[in-house]
Amino acid sequence: MALLEVKNLQVSFDTPEGEVHAVSGVDFTLEPGDALAIVGESGSGKTQSMLAILGLLAENGRATGSARFRGEDLMEMGPAELNHHRGKDIAMIFQDPMTSLNPYLTIDSQMTEMVMHHQGLNRREARAHAVEMLRAVRIPDPEQRIRQYPHQYSGGMRQRVLVAMGLLCEPDILIADEPTTALDVTVQAQIAQLMAELRRQSNTAIVLITHDLGVVAGLCDRVLVLYAGEVVEYGTVEQIYYDPQHPYTQGLLESVPRLDRVGDGQLHAIPGNPPNLLNLPKGCCFRRRCERAFEQCHQKPRLRDTGQGHLNRCHLGDTE
Ligand SMILES: Nc1ncnc2c1ncn2[C@@H]1O[C@H](COP(=O)(O)OP(=O)(O)OP(=O)(O)O)[C@@H](O)[C@H]1O
Ligand code: SF4
Ligand SMILES: [Mg+2]
């Protein structure tokens, strides 16, 4: 039985303008110790697919499909049962550190309460554990700093506090949503390093959500590329980096600086914008931005295995 098996996940939102199709069929499986990257431009459905699994969609959101955690479907669970799994079995580090920390509570109370709730430790033990976690994410002087409020931490430090909170209950799965605020590259690298350590030590499965294929290679072993709420390519890091098949993935890779690539030294962003999720185009969602589009692209391409589990949703090379 897989640790987490997500099948045909769909998310939509009711809005005054109509139905927004944010996620249109996402599948993936995680085993203990796996590290999966979910990559795609802004608005591709990365965050909403994870929130759907955890039962945290906004009120106007609806999700269908299944997400089996050790065989039990999270999407069929009521709020109390889900609450039991969140934090303890599956933890998520949210994109915006300021909205996921309570500004009116010290870091101490936020961390300690969580450990007491999930692990049944008393306050003193819970605090000691929280301090240890802050130390693990390299917060200097954690015994003192734990008494402070979120605004007394810098952006990078707050992000580390969130990582510490994510690790607090030693979850089986840690989902890390890349921060929108531009943290400096060193902080990001340190956080990726921490997650890699955790994975080695505790066999925690990791889902890393990011725009940037550049940060993926060191931490993850598989990559899921999302475009307009659909999986367009999926494979191992090697398959995606050395043999990208979907024109969108190829475009994303061209916008990543790489030391091993000779060229004009320019980064190429993909021209154009993703489609309107209120009114998705027929056929391939990437068609209007694709330099290689041809007649057949007016039909929806299937997600097919091109060999060794490397999946591609594109008509190019599809002989069937
Ligand atoms: N409550 C909501 N009502 C309507 N649309 C929503 C709502 N929440 C999210 N969306 C839409 O769902 C789509 C997917 O959003 P999502 O947050 O998953 O994107 P993302 O891939 O995480 O992007 P980013 O990289 O910018 O964080 C977006 O177009 C967003 O505007
Ligand atoms: S199916 Fe057609 S439009 Fe879509 S990515 Fe492939 S070639 Fe481009
Ligand atoms: Mg997001």
Side-chain angles (χ1 to χ4, degrees), residues 234-236 239 305-311:
Y234 171 82
T236 62
Q239 287 168 339
D305 191 336
T306 62
Q308 291 162 343
H310 188 170
L311 307 182

Side-chain angles (χ1 to χ4, degrees), residues 13-15 20 22 40-49 58 60 95 177-178 180 209 211 277:
F13 294 98
D14 290 321
T15 70
V20 171
E41 286 167 301
S42 189
S44 55
K46 304 181 298 295
T47 300
Q48 300 310 320
S49 37
N60 62 337
Q95 205 164 0
D177 204 349
E178 134 193 284
T180 28
I209 301 180
H211 291 111
L277 298 175

Side-chain angles (χ1 to χ4, degrees), residues 206-220:
I206 286 171
V207 179
L208 178 73
I209 301 180
T210 177
H211 291 111
D212 183 354
L213 267 170
V215 304
V216 166
L219 184 62
C220 295

